[in-house]
Amino acid sequence: MLQVRNQGDDPVSAVRQGYAFDGDCLELGALVADGAPLADVPVRVPLSMLNRHGLIAGATGTGKTKTLQVMAEQLSAAGVPVFAADIKGDLSGLASPGSPDEKVAARARSVGQEWAPEAFPVELLRLGDDGVGVPVRASVTSFGPTLLAKVLELNATQESSLGLVFHYADTAGLPLVELADLRAVIQHLTSPEGKPDLEGLGGLSKQTAGVILRELVNFSASGADAFFGEPEFEVGQLLRTAGDGRGVVTLLELPSVQDRPVLFSTFLMWLLAELFEELPEVGDLEKPKLVFFFDEAHLLFTDASKDFLAALIQTVRLIRSKGVGVFFVTQSPKDVHEDVLAQLGSRVQHQLRAFTPNDAAALRAAVRTYPTSSYDLEELLTTLGIGEAVVTVMSEKGAPTPVAHTMLRAPRSLMAPSPPDVLAGVVTASPLAATYGERVDRESAYELLSGRIAAGPGAPVASGEPLTTEEEIKRLEAEIRGLPVPGTVPQPAPSSPRRSAARSDGPFDAFLETAGRELAKEIVRGVFGTRRRR
């Protein structure tokens, strides 16, 4: 049995004092000393420090999901909304009260927990068409070029070129709602009709555009079309509380995307980026506005471009001031980029395994990231039992707490997926179903470009829901591109020099000014290249 080594001060007293906070806390568990938990030495994390982010790590089957569940329950009880991805469906148990048995009761007694079964307010979302939750979608415009390049696994040159395509679509008034819209824009740019526009972009070769187009076709063939469209999910819905004041736990079901892991991890990053762009600055709060659990976090950092990493690091660093705490959930600390790891104030490290030389190196690297402690961490981290963890958090004064071998609390909700009838009832009662349940198909880039081609030179393009200035915008678009103006008698095509000049003089500036003034939304790109709403 592993013993606590005494290095001067009594380690039990050090933990007792180090975790004796004045404000509201999440109770994680109790200190383990000489092989047994000490119910009178609690290990906790201040509620006010949760927006300093954190890490929940450990090998498969060591209890990461149950730790997340324990934290989500207490956050909800404290009135803090929670968002988490539910990859295996286990977290849906939050919607059902737990099943009392002697094993749960014994653990509760051992850590000083007053256990009683309880269900929590849950909202179920789904990514794609499969599953029982309310569908969550994003437009391609909102997703942005940087995140989409990550999903498509584009290199740096191709990512830069994709950014030019988005810029062209923005300025040309071509809404990118579905993947078909982006494919249509690229097909236009690589067609004879779009050659002048392609040349005007600069830095975008026809060959690179062709590569991006092929990747989009393959992406669509994998079923990704289901994730893009409208109505677009408003991230403010993640900050809801129930009628009794408890925070709503929003679970994003992901069973249908296990064969596309990069897509779901990047989609989670889109949600986080949208929160970053949408929420106002609030500074330090007594409790966070939202705690966001980012599961399978290693997928974010694998093969990520420099631009993507820079934007991710900036988002994590700054979103704290928006009142949002982010917990990365993964198998090993080495899965998380060091610049992100350095910003994580709370650590809940379950068992690490060291079966290979690479595992052993990762273990030693993990040990070096902890404050000096009275433990032999290399031994302890490989001998932790299920439901045990090595914990250090940020105190109310902003200093790291003593490292504590912790026996974690048991969840009060069901430690298994909720029954199908319970989940169906959650979705039926959801206030989001009426808004997001059915896909909306409005006129976007695909229809605009298809209509322009079908109508032929000089013919007006049919429109679904005309805007007040639509005909003026179409006329200016035509002037920019050197096309015949809709509703007028076709004129001889201008020479290439004149066409280039037309794109760089008054009509181009007039189009941008008019479109920006009259359209319902002005497109502005944020830190990830995502659309910033105004």
Side-chain angles (χ1 to χ4, degrees):
M1 185 67 64
L2 186 68
Q3 303 289 317
V4 176
R5 296 185 301 165
N6 194 322
Q7 296 182 346
D9 295 334
D10 175 18
V12 174
S13 296
V15 170
R16 191 192 307 273
Q17 296 171 12
Y19 290 84
F21 306 125
D22 296 327
D24 293 333
C25 299
L26 297 190
E27 302 289 343
L28 298 178
L31 176 70
V32 175
D34 298 329
L38 304 179
D40 63 337
V41 187
V43 176
R44 45 167 70 111
V45 54
L47 201 58
S48 60
M49 290 291 109
L50 287 176
N51 66 345
R52 263 62 173 189
H53 313 320
L55 176 73
I56 301 173
T60 300
T62 57
K64 297 191 300 293
T65 300
K66 298 301 178 283
T67 297
L68 194 163
Q69 191 169 348
V70 166
M71 295 180 68
E73 290 176 353
Q74 294 183 61
L75 285 165
S76 175
V80 178
V82 174
F83 172 86
D86 192 9
I87 297 174
K88 301 183 292 293
D90 292 349
L91 288 175
S92 67
L94 283 158
S96 303
S99 301
D101 58 37
E102 182 52 37
K103 185 177 180 180
V104 170
R107 174 178 282 262
R109 287 193 299 270
S110 71
V111 298
Q113 177 185 7
E114 296 181 5
W115 191 92
E118 183 178 357
F120 293 83
V122 167
E123 180 72 64
L124 296 175
L125 304 177
R126 72 173 191 257
L127 191 58
D129 294 330
D130 297 331
V132 299
V134 176
V136 53
R137 307 179 183 90
S139 69
V140 172
T141 285
S142 171
F143 209 68
T146 304
L147 291 174
L148 189 58
K150 167 67 173 173
V151 174
L152 298 177
E153 300 179 354
L154 302 182
N155 62 32
T157 300
Q158 293 159 355
E159 179 180 338
S160 176
S161 297
L162 184 62
L164 290 174
V165 174
F166 272 73
H167 172 72
Y168 167 76
D170 286 352
T171 57
L174 297 172
L176 303 177
V177 177
E178 301 174 348
L179 290 176
D181 297 312
L182 183 56
R183 294 198 304 271
V185 170
I186 297 175
Q187 287 169 340
H188 166 71
L189 290 172
T190 55
S191 69
E193 294 80 6
K195 184 178 179 180
D197 297 322
L198 183 65
E199 293 174 348
L201 282 178
L204 175 61
S205 70
K206 187 171 183 178
Q207 290 76 13
T208 300
V211 170
I212 298 172
L213 183 60
R214 286 194 296 273
E215 293 298 330
L216 283 170
V217 170
N218 293 334
F219 189 44
S220 296
S222 72
D225 284 318
F227 309 118
F228 295 93
E230 291 180 332
E232 185 170 274
F233 187 75
E234 296 285 342
V235 293
Q237 301 288 357
L238 303 180
L239 277 65
R240 293 160 44 224
T241 55
D244 58 6
R246 291 183 298 172
V248 172
V249 180
T250 302
L251 302 177
L252 180 62
E253 290 187 296
L254 298 168
S256 62
V257 295
Q258 293 194 28
D259 57 340
R260 292 184 295 275
V262 176
L263 172 62
F264 92 72
S265 67
T266 312
F267 205 98
L268 295 184
M269 195 65 233
W270 170 78
L271 285 174
L272 194 60
E274 286 285 286
L275 286 166
F276 175 74
E277 301 293 354
E278 291 296 306
L279 296 180
E281 296 279 340
V282 294
D284 291 326
L285 303 173
E286 293 183 357
K287 60 183 181 181
K289 297 174 67 174
L290 172 73
V291 175
F292 192 107
F293 290 94
F294 210 127
D295 208 354
E296 299 294 340
H298 67 281
L299 296 169
L300 272 181
F301 304 97
T302 303
D303 299 325
S305 68
K306 291 182 179 179
D307 288 343
F308 182 90
L309 280 176
L312 191 158
I313 292 166
Q314 182 181 1
T315 301
V316 173
R317 180 182 295 120
L318 299 179
I319 201 169
R320 177 191 68 79
S321 64
K322 307 293 183 87
V324 177
V326 183
F327 274 75
F328 293 91
V329 185
T330 189
Q331 293 197 11
S332 171
K334 72 178 180 63
D335 296 336
V336 179
H337 191 276
E338 60 182 7
D339 287 344
V340 173
L341 195 62
Q343 299 175 52
L344 308 183
S346 299
R347 299 273 298 277
V348 182
Q349 177 67 64
H350 291 266
Q351 183 192 129
L352 285 173
R353 294 166 186 153
F355 296 148
T356 69
N358 286 340
D359 291 340
L363 173 63
R364 289 191 294 271
V367 168
R368 289 195 297 270
T369 65
Y370 277 89
T372 301
S373 75
S374 57
Y375 296 105
D376 180 350
L377 285 177
E378 278 198 47
E379 181 183 356
L380 177 57
L381 287 173
T382 57
T383 57
L384 290 168
I386 297 173
E388 297 180 20
V390 172
V391 175
T392 179
V393 304
M394 187 172 288
S395 73
E396 293 169 314
K397 296 180 179 180
T401 58
V403 178
H405 176 190
T406 305
M407 178 73 72
L408 295 161
R409 289 189 166 207
R412 299 174 66 180
S413 55
L414 187 64
M415 289 189 281
S418 285
D421 60 324
V422 172
L423 300 182
V426 168
V427 176
T428 300
S430 171
L432 305 183
T435 303
Y436 301 105
E438 298 296 328
R439 181 182 291 270
V440 174
D441 188 12
R442 69 176 175 94
E443 185 180 65
S444 52
Y446 177 82
E447 288 79 13
L448 287 170
L449 291 171
S450 298
R452 188 175 300 146
I453 294 171
V461 179
S463 171
E465 296 182 10
L467 298 171
T468 305
T469 60
E470 183 177 358
E471 294 304 318
E472 180 182 2
I473 291 175
K474 289 181 180 295
R475 176 180 62 78
L476 290 169
E477 275 189 285
E479 290 182 9
I480 293 165
R481 296 173 183 159
L483 298 172
V485 176
T488 63
V489 178
Q491 299 295 323
S495 63
S496 295
R498 287 181 60 191
R499 181 177 297 159
S500 297
R503 288 198 309 274
S504 61
D505 60 15
F508 179 72
D509 295 332
F511 167 67
L512 288 181
E513 182 179 353
T514 304
R517 184 177 64 249
E518 299 294 341
L519 293 178
K521 294 178 181 176
E522 179 183 356
I523 302 293
V524 183
R525 295 286 165 190
V527 65
F528 267 100
T530 53
R531 184 201 63 218
R532 296 176 62 183
R533 300 186 182 97
R534 285 191 173 181

